[in-house]
Amino acid sequence: MKGANQPSSGARAWSFTALRWAAALFVLAVLFYFLPFDKLEHAIAHVPPTRFILVVILYLCAHAAGALKWRMVVNAAGAGLDLSTSAQCYFGGLFGTLFLPSIVGGDVVRLAVGLRKSLRPAAVLTGNLADRFLDVAAQAVLVAAGILLLPESAPEELEATALGVLWAAVGIAAALTVALVVLRKRLLGGRSVKFRRRLARVWHALRSLRESPRVLASGWIIGILVQFTFLMLTALLAVSCGLTPEIVPLRLWLFAWPLAKLAALLPLTQGGMGVREAALVALLTPFGAPGALVLAAGLVWEGVIIAGGLISGGIALILRHSSSSSNAGSG
């Protein structure tokens, strides 16, 4: 029975993947329909291949810093992962983002490797959640900076919506934290000893993180720098598409880019594709930015993400084979 169910589960997974790709293509098709396609094509054609390759290299360098941050946080929780394994987890996760829903989908691959490699899987799980929270907090800093730097002529409704999204995210996180604290006894009631032991390991990992404030602060700062690097790389590609700083100044990128990335967290399309571009168009066109050029910049950045994800998959595969060869040699 178990073997008979496996093909069905695999087919179901592929069906969901196909639906997410279809949803992404549908969103992009709607954008193509309402925006002048000739301007879009012209803008993309104006991106020099050398600049695109340079941005991909810098994108991967920024993610290398992100991998070091991830290792620092999960090891603060007690995971005990070495540098090679951490890089395998992190870059494997970047590759997984191309095939799993939303940009959080890569966490599934990251955890799959980390949980198998670490002697303390609860620490890997807890540290990964903490790292994701630090990334969201870093994006919130960029959004807050963008809101503060918005021009006085900014639409009040747009600013109010951004503030609402920001406070809603903070409120949801706070409410979940309070609910876990208040309901912890009820959640634990009647649970098995095995479940309690696993939960105790998670609490131990959380305690280890709480006792490492410098690690969390450092991770948050590195997260801000990494996210800001991605923002600047997107703006650099946007200049090649025709969105000069006179049309879209940096303060508008600070406002729109992190909000668009937060929108991509919704598991609606494959890797957030289409959702991110639609959010960028919706956030920047009220300030006078041509929608076709914004979409062009978003699509070129999507190309960077795909290229970076494929290269990351190759890096993870090389590290995996290297680790297997080392283990075979030592055995």
Side-chain angles (χ1 to χ4, degrees), residues 80-128:
L81 296 177
D82 59 32
L83 185 60
S84 176
T85 301
S86 300
Q88 183 183 338
C89 293
Y90 188 90
F91 287 105
L94 284 181
F95 178 72
T97 303
L98 302 179
F99 304 99
L100 294 169
S102 90
I103 62 177
V104 185
D107 286 6
V108 176
V109 178
R110 195 179 300 177
L111 287 172
V113 179
L115 295 176
R116 189 174 68 252
K117 296 283 187 177
S118 176
L119 296 175
R120 299 182 179 89
V124 177
L125 175 62
T126 306
N128 187 79

Side-chain angles (χ1 to χ4, degrees), residues 74 161 188 267 322 327:
V74 296
T161 300
L188 290 175
S322 176
N327 292 335

Side-chain angles (χ1 to χ4, degrees), residues 250-263:
L250 181 59
R251 59 185 179 181
L252 292 184
W253 283 112
L254 279 170
F255 167 73
W257 188 89
L259 281 177
K261 188 168 183 178
L262 287 173

Side-chain angles (χ1 to χ4, degrees), residues 189-223:
R191 300 293 181 178
S192 65
V193 175
K194 187 176 181 180
F195 177 83
R196 287 172 176 268
R197 286 176 179 172
R198 290 178 177 175
L199 196 59
R201 295 188 186 104
V202 172
W203 282 115
H204 179 73
L206 285 171
R207 192 181 304 114
S208 298
L209 283 172
R210 191 172 63 242
E211 294 172 354
S212 306
R214 290 185 180 179
V215 170
L216 294 176
S218 299
W220 179 54
I221 293 171
I222 294 172

Side-chain angles (χ1 to χ4, degrees), residues 35-282:
L35 297 173
F37 188 78
D38 55 339
K39 290 185 179 180
L40 172 67
E41 187 179 15
H42 182 75
I44 294 177
H46 268 68
V47 179
T50 52
R51 175 169 290 191
F52 180 84
I53 294 172
L54 175 63
V55 169
V56 171
I57 294 172
L58 294 175
Y59 172 81
L60 290 172
C61 289
H63 270 302
L68 292 174
K69 172 178 71 72
W70 185 82
R71 177 175 182 255
M72 180 177 66
V73 175
V74 296
N75 281 352
L81 296 177
D82 59 32
L83 185 60
S84 176
T85 301
S86 300
Q88 183 183 338
C89 293
Y90 188 90
F91 287 105
L94 284 181
F95 178 72
T97 303
L98 302 179
F99 304 99
L100 294 169
S102 90
I103 62 177
V104 185
D107 286 6
V108 176
V109 178
R110 195 179 300 177
L111 287 172
V113 179
L115 295 176
R116 189 174 68 252
K117 296 283 187 177
S118 176
L119 296 175
R120 299 182 179 89
V124 177
L125 175 62
T126 306
N128 187 79
L129 290 174
D131 183 74
R132 178 58 65 184
F133 176 79
L134 291 175
D135 283 342
V136 174
Q139 291 170 24
V141 170
L142 297 182
V143 174
I147 292 174
L148 291 175
L149 295 173
L150 277 179
E152 295 181 359
S153 58
E156 293 183 3
E157 296 82 0
L158 198 60
E159 186 175 352
T161 300
L163 280 171
V165 170
L166 192 59
W167 282 112
V170 173
I172 291 172
L176 288 174
T177 303
V178 172
L180 285 175
V181 172
V182 173
L183 300 175
R184 66 183 186 279
K185 292 184 179 180
R186 184 172 298 178
L187 291 172
L188 290 175
R191 300 293 181 178
S192 65
V193 175
K194 187 176 181 180
F195 177 83
R196 287 172 176 268
R197 286 176 179 172
R198 290 178 177 175
L199 196 59
R201 295 188 186 104
V202 172
W203 282 115
H204 179 73
L206 285 171
R207 192 181 304 114
S208 298
L209 283 172
R210 191 172 63 242
E211 294 172 354
S212 306
R214 290 185 180 179
V215 170
L216 294 176
S218 299
W220 179 54
I221 293 171
I222 294 172
I224 293 173
L225 294 176
V226 169
Q227 297 300 324
F228 185 71
T229 300
F230 294 155
L231 184 152
M232 292 298 295
L233 292 176
T234 305
L236 179 63
L237 291 173
V239 170
S240 297
C241 293
L243 291 175
T244 62
E246 290 76 22
I247 299 175
V248 183
L250 181 59
R251 59 185 179 181
L252 292 184
W253 283 112
L254 279 170
F255 167 73
W257 188 89
L259 281 177
K261 188 168 183 178
L262 287 173
L265 291 172
L266 298 173
L268 301 176
T269 63
Q270 193 64 38
M273 186 183 299
V275 174
R276 182 169 34 241
E277 289 75 22
L280 268 181
V281 172

